[in-house]
Amino acid sequence: MCADPSTLEGLNWWLCYLTTVKHMNLYTSVFTVLLLLAIVTPCILALGFGGAVAKRSALMPVRWVGMGYTSMVRGVPDIVFFMFVPIALDQVFEMIRHKVLCSDVTDPIWQGNDFVVCDIAKLPLNAAPQWQHDAYGFILAVIAFAIVFGAFAANVIDGALKAVPKGQLEAGEAVGMTKRQIFTRIHAPQMWRYALPGLSNLWMILLKATPLLFLLGIEDVVYWARELGGAKTSRFAYPHTDWRLGYFLALLVFYLFLTWISEKVFDRLKLRFGAGVAI
Amino acid sequence: MSCAEAFSNYAFRSLGYGERILPKADITLCEQIALIGSGMIWNVYFTVLALIAGFSFATLIALGKASSNPLASIPAKTFIFVFRGSPLFIQFFLFYEAFVLIPKVAGDIDLGFVQLTVETRWFTRAWLGALIVMFLNTSAYSAEIFYGALRNVPKGDLEAADAIGMNASQKFRRVTWPTMLRLAWPSYTNEAIFMGHATTLVFLSGFPAWRQAGDALYYAQYLAEKTFNPFVAYPIVAAFFIVFTLIIIGGFGAMNKRLNRHMAPEARGKLKLSLNVIR
């Protein structure tokens, strides 16, 4: 049916138009967003938990790391980190590989306005297939997201750890538990209930940060919306005027839908975690 | 180039003064600081104007949401949901595309003493277009904060106002509104901080930086690209933003003190970063 688009009209035109290869790319890029969320969420929780625990450590250097990590997102815009972390990591990785793999090259790496590493130190290698370049970019983006939102989560979990009633911990001491036991059996399990409102907030923020993938050069929903929405002349199979407004409207609705679903899920969770607790 | 020269060339570059061409080679530290600092002017501009304009609108929306009249509460709720539930990044794109579609006309506004030529083309420029988006966005977030505070105004205070015979407008101006503000202030401070941070998105989204006049992150990105070294430009932006954040906290902290001046010290709301409000 879609072989000759110029003969199509009405509903058929739309059906064919919305199932072109490029539109399929748009739909799969929705899965890129969901994939990012799936990979990055456990990392965020782990980093957040680690950061919050480090902040309470008895060792001073560890405590400083934790405090630095939790406070870094307070004063500096998260977007700055999103721009900085991937490119900085890329350079650090390449520099390390350069030092290891090309130890015979003595030229400085930063030469004036250039960053020069030997060819075999490049990440990924110049000859690598395109999917490796894409995957590398995506991994760097995941790390950037994990670091930034891990810092936010560390703030939330730190607050939740402080919110657990003192009496609970004292009761643990009274029955002769060690510090470690108190933490793993009383403090950490009870903390989640206090952390839930903050974490649900964080989830919403994370959802709304996913279009920033576009800034990291990943072909995400924003990229395809711009690409597909731009005016197409009659040289194209499906000519249309500038429809970017429509595409962005669709994205807006998509994100509102995600937010709405999440709100419902978190309302449920709140009931569950709050069960058996006096308000 | 000396440091003084760098500052005279670039300290107001973001407003279109000074050297027209951005530094290209042998970029000195002073040039980077001057250029990024000049970009901060835009971040401050967007933050301050959007906050001031958004404040009264947010109060109005919050009252609308709290109203028992569905004609007021439903539009207010929808407004808040749409702007809080979708990414600011997408909102920028969407509004930019919408503003582009406005027919290009210029008109004169007679203010009596001066004639102003107004162009609809201004909507597609960041100084007006992005400001409108930020204004709507911060209004929605602040409205939700104010709404929460409005519901927490102690019943006794309102009854006392009724008892001494205040009419509705007196009650609002002297009891409800000041109490709401006092309760909302710590969260509102957060909103101001993160709103300031979010201004870095303006030039990364749809709005073009006209004649390379952009904000701090725009220049930082430019410099990192030119020097191939992210480890100088990005820390400079970070430092500028830390200072900016501290100034906001200082200003809002002073206001917080004033709003709480009649309260017993232990009952005063403390300013503390929570993550209720970032985008």
Side-chain angles (χ1 to χ4, degrees):
Chain A
M1 182 177 86
C2 301
D4 187 8
S6 54
T7 60
L8 295 169
E9 287 212 18
L11 186 64
N12 282 342
W13 189 90
W14 280 103
L15 280 178
C16 288
Y17 174 67
L18 290 175
T19 50
T20 55
V21 178
K22 282 201 166 179
H23 275 88
M24 288 303 163
N25 285 334
L26 171 67
Y27 308 142
T28 41
S29 66
V30 170
F31 289 100
T32 315
V33 171
L34 298 180
L35 180 72
L36 174 87
L37 288 173
I39 297 176
V40 92
T41 309
C43 304
I44 288 170
L45 286 178
L47 273 175
F49 196 74
V53 172
K55 203 177 164 187
R56 312 166 69 85
S57 164
L59 286 171
M60 196 152 43
V62 180
R63 200 159 63 230
W64 279 356
V65 169
M67 278 160 73
Y69 186 52
T70 46
S71 43
M72 77 173 204
V73 285
R74 294 181 180 216
V76 181
D78 44 353
I79 301 132
V80 172
F81 286 108
F82 284 127
M83 307 305 291
F84 171 73
V85 170
I87 163 167
L89 277 181
D90 182 46
Q91 288 202 353
V92 169
F93 290 157
E94 290 194 343
M95 204 170 72
I96 293 169
R97 279 168 63 94
H98 179 83
K99 288 257 158 70
V100 174
L101 297 172
C102 318
S103 45
D104 49 326
V105 182
T106 50
D107 292 338
I109 294 177
W110 274 288
Q111 300 174 1
N113 288 345
D114 242 337
F115 179 78
V116 186
V117 291
C118 58
D119 279 339
I120 53 166
K122 286 259 168 61
L123 256 182
L125 296 172
N126 280 336
Q130 182 59 35
W131 71 266
Q132 283 188 16
H133 286 268
D134 292 345
Y136 182 62
F138 187 73
I139 290 169
L140 288 182
V142 167
I143 296 175
F145 268 82
I147 289 177
V148 172
F149 282 95
F152 281 126
N155 277 299
V156 170
I157 291 174
D158 180 50
L161 284 172
K162 280 182 192 145
V164 175
K166 283 266 169 334
Q168 296 280 344
L169 310 179
E170 283 162 7
E173 270 172 44
V175 297
M177 285 186 179
T178 62
K179 270 211 165 117
R180 202 194 177 87
Q181 281 174 327
I182 292 175
F183 186 77
T184 54
R185 294 191 193 171
I186 301 177
H187 207 166
Q190 290 200 27
M191 170 273 289
W192 290 108
R193 197 173 65 81
Y194 297 97
L196 189 68
L199 290 179
S200 72
N201 246 322
L202 194 61
W203 171 260
M204 302 290 186
I205 298 160
L206 179 64
L207 271 186
K208 288 185 273 170
T210 49
L212 298 179
L213 277 177
F214 171 71
L215 296 179
L216 306 179
I218 288 163
E219 296 184 358
D220 76 330
V221 279
V222 179
Y223 173 86
W224 286 111
R226 278 166 64 105
E227 188 79 8
L228 290 162
K232 301 279 183 295
T233 57
S234 51
R235 287 195 297 118
F236 289 85
Y238 298 91
H240 60 77
T241 50
D242 193 338
W243 282 358
R244 273 179 292 190
L245 183 62
Y247 277 90
F248 281 118
L249 214 53
L251 278 191
L252 192 86
V253 172
F254 167 67
Y255 275 103
L256 285 178
F257 175 71
L258 282 184
T259 311
W260 181 76
I261 291 268
S262 308
E263 265 177 9
K264 294 271 166 266
V265 172
F266 277 115
D267 281 349
R268 273 270 167 95
L269 278 180
K270 216 185 277 173
L271 279 182
R272 262 205 94 140
F273 276 84
V277 181
I279 301 163
Chain B
M1 194 192 291
S2 77
C3 208
E5 247 178 279
F7 273 89
S8 75
N9 281 346
Y10 293 116
F12 295 100
R13 175 62 181 78
S14 65
L15 301 179
Y17 299 108
E19 194 71 39
R20 199 172 61 82
I21 299 162
L22 295 185
K24 284 227 159 60
D26 305 319
I27 299 171
T28 62
L29 186 65
C30 285
E31 284 176 309
Q32 302 209 19
I33 293 174
L35 202 52
I36 292 172
S38 89
M40 279 305 288
I41 296 172
W42 282 114
N43 295 102
V44 175
Y45 163 87
F46 286 125
T47 313
V48 171
L49 288 191
L51 276 178
I52 291 173
F55 181 78
S56 349
F57 191 50
T59 314
L60 204 68
I61 302 278
L63 286 174
K65 187 171 177 182
S67 158
S68 53
N69 184 352
L71 282 180
S73 67
I74 291 175
K77 276 179 192 159
T78 315
F79 176 82
I80 292 176
F81 177 69
V82 168
F83 278 94
R84 288 183 78 234
S86 63
L88 176 64
F89 194 51
I90 303 282
Q91 289 166 21
F92 274 131
F93 276 115
L94 185 75
F95 274 85
Y96 178 71
E97 298 303 337
F99 288 148
V100 168
L101 296 181
I102 298 175
K104 288 184 180 48
V105 286
D108 291 325
I109 291 182
D110 197 357
L111 290 177
F113 54 96
V114 65
Q115 281 264 335
L116 273 181
T117 309
V118 181
E119 294 181 53
T120 54
R121 203 182 316 160
W122 288 349
F123 281 105
T124 59
R125 300 268 162 78
W127 69 265
L128 181 62
L131 184 62
I132 291 173
V133 181
M134 300 243 58
F135 155 70
L136 293 173
N137 189 277
T138 190
S139 296
Y141 279 88
S142 314
E144 185 65 23
I145 294 169
F146 289 163
Y147 169 73
L150 214 49
R151 292 205 317 176
N152 285 325
V153 173
K155 280 270 172 324
D157 290 15
L158 300 174
E159 283 161 10
D162 285 333
I164 59 168
M166 284 189 183
N167 61 30
S169 114
Q170 280 176 326
K171 196 167 87 172
F172 179 74
R173 276 185 296 121
R174 298 191 189 166
V175 182
T176 315
W177 192 67
T179 312
M180 174 201 89
L181 219 51
R182 179 172 65 80
L183 294 176
W185 205 256
S187 309
Y188 190 59
T189 308
N190 273 307
E191 160 60 16
I193 292 170
F194 287 115
M195 147 92 192
H197 290 180
T199 55
T200 48
L201 273 178
V202 171
F203 291 101
L204 298 174
S205 60
F207 290 94
W210 199 55
R211 289 182 185 157
Q212 291 186 307
D215 78 326
L217 188 57
Y218 172 83
Y219 286 126
Q221 212 191 356
Y222 169 87
L223 292 166
E225 230 164 66
K226 279 278 173 280
T227 57
F228 268 99
N229 186 352
F231 297 99
V232 178
Y234 287 115
I236 294 174
V237 200
F240 269 116
F241 265 99
I242 289 172
V243 173
F244 184 37
T245 307
L246 290 176
I247 292 172
I248 294 178
I249 292 177
F252 276 74
M255 189 66 198
N256 191 47
K257 244 190 192 148
R258 193 179 152 73
L259 286 169
N260 279 292
R261 65 195 185 282
H262 61 291
M263 302 293 290
E266 61 271 15
R268 284 178 190 165
K270 287 235 171 62
L271 285 188
K272 193 175 172 298
L273 182 132
S274 63
L275 296 156
N276 292 330
V277 286
I278 61 171
R279 295 161 170 79

